Amino acid sequence: MPPECSDGDMHCTVNILETCIGGKFGTLTVCDEYCDPVSGCVLDLPNADSYIWIANTGEGTLSKVNTRNGREVARYLTCAYGDNRCDPSRTSVNLHGDVVVSNRGCGNCVVQIPASSVTKFAASRMDCVDRDGNGIIDTSTGPSDIKAWGEDECMLWSIELPFEAGFGDDPHGARATAWDGRDDEDTGLGGSVWVGTCDMYAQPNPVYVYKLNGDTGTVEERVQVESASCAYGGAMDNDNGFWFLCLTTETITRVDVESLEYATRPTSCGYGITVDSHGRVWTGGFDFSALEQSCIARYDPRTGEERTAIVSWDPITISTRPWLRGIAVGTALSAGFVWAAETSGKLYQIDAETLDVNLAYEMTGVHETIGVAVDFLGYVWMVDMLGDCAYCYDPVTQRRVQVRVGSFPYTYSDMTGVQLRNTVLVH
């Protein structure tokens, strides 16, 4: 509860951006669950706590941040090395709230190049496993409490991707990562994780897309995609399709998760990727045909139409070329818009229908904003790699809250699970 509201008559668990007017909270109703500053009382989603999971590539850890109070409630090692050789970068959250994090493997390491791997963590202690039988779930309680590899009992499994002969010594790092939304929402059991590889340094090797068992991590299927060389970002649609973006070939590819057939088409713009509840594929990044502009592209598979919006910048006044990285579809407070983070610290708001672009927020100072995500209330989160932090932005009040995380956070995927939920369940 904010101190300026300590004498107010609002009695509920208040999120970090709740407004306070005259000693009372902006909403007038006493809530049983928690309060939204615009919508009022909001019930908890069953078995889906609101967390954002941010990969800290500089130290090989994963930060678990409660989006309702802005506190980092746990930090985990993502692979056995326990340092930047793990190189974690993508996270994906299933309908139950559990997460997988993909470790790229350090392509720049001279010795001991680790294999690329994927690791799963439970969101709720009820789903963690008391492996040592001491009657206690031994797990991280915050950023200063990082358990040794294998000792955190909320880590459910970790697997290394199979070796592919065409890659030689390169770890062919896992990049595009997405749950398919087929897990049981109440128990978290079932479902699959789809992971695409990237080999940007030894082209023209193909992309390998793996289907991992969501309960065990076992590789169940492998698809070899010849028309791409780097599955950079990934997202599920509402019709059994796993989409990924390839930077080097300037394409987007859809893999049917049932037939395993795939189709590839060009895209005008790319870096980050997401899918909305209508099945439209959104990409944000830089315009492949022009160096002095960033862009957003929306592709509708039903009509075959692609529309783009340009975000220009002035090369005379800006020495380092900025571009869009992460992209996410809004919900609740941010509904009706798509949100894109620019490397320079800007957050753009794009009308989901007209594609009109508005600069929503611009941070001062030196930043390198990587990813963007939306939580269940509709607040927009940005990951700042140079600042070792994340920012939570209120699209109604334009307020911003900073949350410290680990070293060099580098994530631009469905860090909260909201994109999957809105795509799979809301359509």
Side-chain angles (χ1 to χ4, degrees):
M1 180 179 293
E4 64 268 26
C5 271
S6 59
D7 296 330
D9 58 4
M10 197 66 183
H11 303 289
C12 64
T13 303
V14 181
N15 63 69
I16 56 175
L17 295 178
E18 174 66 69
T19 55
C20 179
I21 303 172
K24 297 183 179 181
F25 293 102
T27 45
L28 302 178
T29 307
V30 175
C31 300
D32 294 328
E33 299 291 346
Y34 65 95
C35 314
D36 178 89
V38 174
S39 304
C41 297
V42 180
L43 296 177
D44 277 326
L45 291 168
N47 299 312
D49 291 329
S50 188
Y51 298 110
I52 184 168
W53 304 79
I54 299 172
N56 305 306
T57 190
E59 62 185 36
T61 66
L62 175 69
S63 290
K64 176 185 179 183
V65 176
N66 186 317
T67 63
R68 294 173 187 165
N69 58 26
R71 296 193 180 104
E72 184 180 354
V73 297
R75 191 178 295 185
Y76 311 100
L77 294 179
T78 63
C79 86
Y81 288 88
D83 56 27
N84 64 350
R85 285 175 291 175
C86 301
D87 213 9
S89 69
R90 313 294 197 271
T91 61
S92 180
V93 182
N94 66 12
L95 298 180
H96 185 63
D98 300 329
V99 69
V100 290
V101 54
S102 290
N103 297 297
R104 292 175 291 191
C106 181
N108 297 320
C109 294
V110 178
V111 295
Q112 291 185 308
I113 299 177
S116 189
S117 61
V118 182
T119 304
K120 179 182 179 182
F121 293 91
S124 170
R125 282 176 178 257
M126 296 178 61
D127 298 317
C128 303
V129 180
D130 181 16
R131 286 189 286 267
D132 60 8
N134 66 354
I136 300 172
I137 295 298
D138 299 305
T139 187
S140 172
T141 57
S144 61
D145 180 24
I146 304 174
K147 306 298 183 186
W149 177 248
E151 294 184 6
D152 197 301
E153 295 178 333
C154 286
M155 187 196 75
L156 300 182
W157 52 255
S158 184
I159 63 101
E160 293 183 353
L161 293 187
F163 173 77
E164 303 291 352
F167 285 88
D169 292 331
D170 188 272
H172 59 282
R175 297 296 203 282
T177 304
W179 283 91
D180 63 4
R182 296 186 173 192
D183 60 291
D184 186 294
E185 187 178 1
D186 294 326
T187 66
L189 297 176
S192 302
V193 182
W194 293 81
V195 181
T197 64
C198 177
D199 184 36
M200 298 179 67
Y201 310 107
Q203 298 179 50
N205 289 322
V207 161
Y208 295 96
V209 175
Y210 298 101
K211 175 187 177 183
L212 308 183
N213 183 297
D215 298 330
T216 65
T218 303
V219 176
E220 296 183 333
E221 300 283 357
R222 189 200 75 161
V223 182
Q224 184 171 319
V225 181
E226 298 290 350
S227 54
S229 60
C230 177
Y232 209 69
M236 293 297 301
D237 66 18
N238 54 19
D239 190 29
N240 301 318
F242 170 65
W243 290 85
F244 69 82
L245 167 77
C246 178
L247 290 178
T248 53
T249 59
E250 304 174 9
T251 57
I252 51 176
T253 298
R254 181 184 185 273
V255 179
D256 190 290
V257 301
E258 293 184 339
S259 69
L260 303 185
E261 296 179 351
Y262 67 87
T264 299
R265 73 173 307 277
T267 183
S268 301
C269 169
Y271 203 97
I273 186 171
T274 192
V275 179
D276 66 20
S277 59
H278 301 291
R280 298 176 299 191
V281 183
W282 293 80
T283 56
F286 50 84
D287 186 345
F288 290 120
S289 63
L291 295 178
E292 281 77 36
Q293 56 193 28
S294 300
C295 60
I296 298 98
R298 187 190 71 192
Y299 170 66
D300 191 337
R302 297 170 300 179
T303 64
E305 179 190 30
E306 182 193 66
R307 293 187 58 191
T308 60
I310 300 301
V311 181
S312 299
W313 62 281
D314 186 354
I316 297 177
T317 59
I318 301 177
S319 59
T320 302
R321 175 190 174 207
W323 71 90
L324 303 181
R325 299 285 275 270
I327 189 167
V329 179
T331 188
L333 298 177
S334 54
F337 299 99
V338 173
W339 303 82
E342 188 180 78
T343 52
S344 62
K346 295 178 181 178
L347 176 66
Y348 287 98
Q349 178 191 65
I350 303 97
D351 188 290
E353 301 307 320
T354 66
L355 269 72
D356 291 338
V357 179
N358 175 54
L359 177 59
Y361 198 93
E362 181 175 5
M363 293 184 287
T364 59
V366 178
H367 301 274
E368 187 165 352
T369 39
I370 301 295
V372 64
V374 175
D375 67 24
F376 287 103
L377 289 178
Y379 294 117
V380 183
W381 291 75
M382 294 184 292
V383 175
D384 184 4
M385 186 174 71
L386 295 184
D388 294 345
C389 64
Y391 296 96
C392 180
Y393 171 76
D394 183 340
V396 176
T397 66
Q398 285 79 53
R399 291 181 60 198
R400 178 176 62 91
V401 172
Q402 182 185 42
V403 179
R404 304 296 301 183
V405 290
S407 172
F408 270 60
Y410 187 92
T411 306
Y412 45 92
S413 51
D414 189 8
M415 298 174 263
T416 61
V418 168
Q419 303 293 285
L420 177 66
R421 176 174 293 274
N422 286 346
T423 300
V424 174
L425 299 184
V426 185
H427 68 275

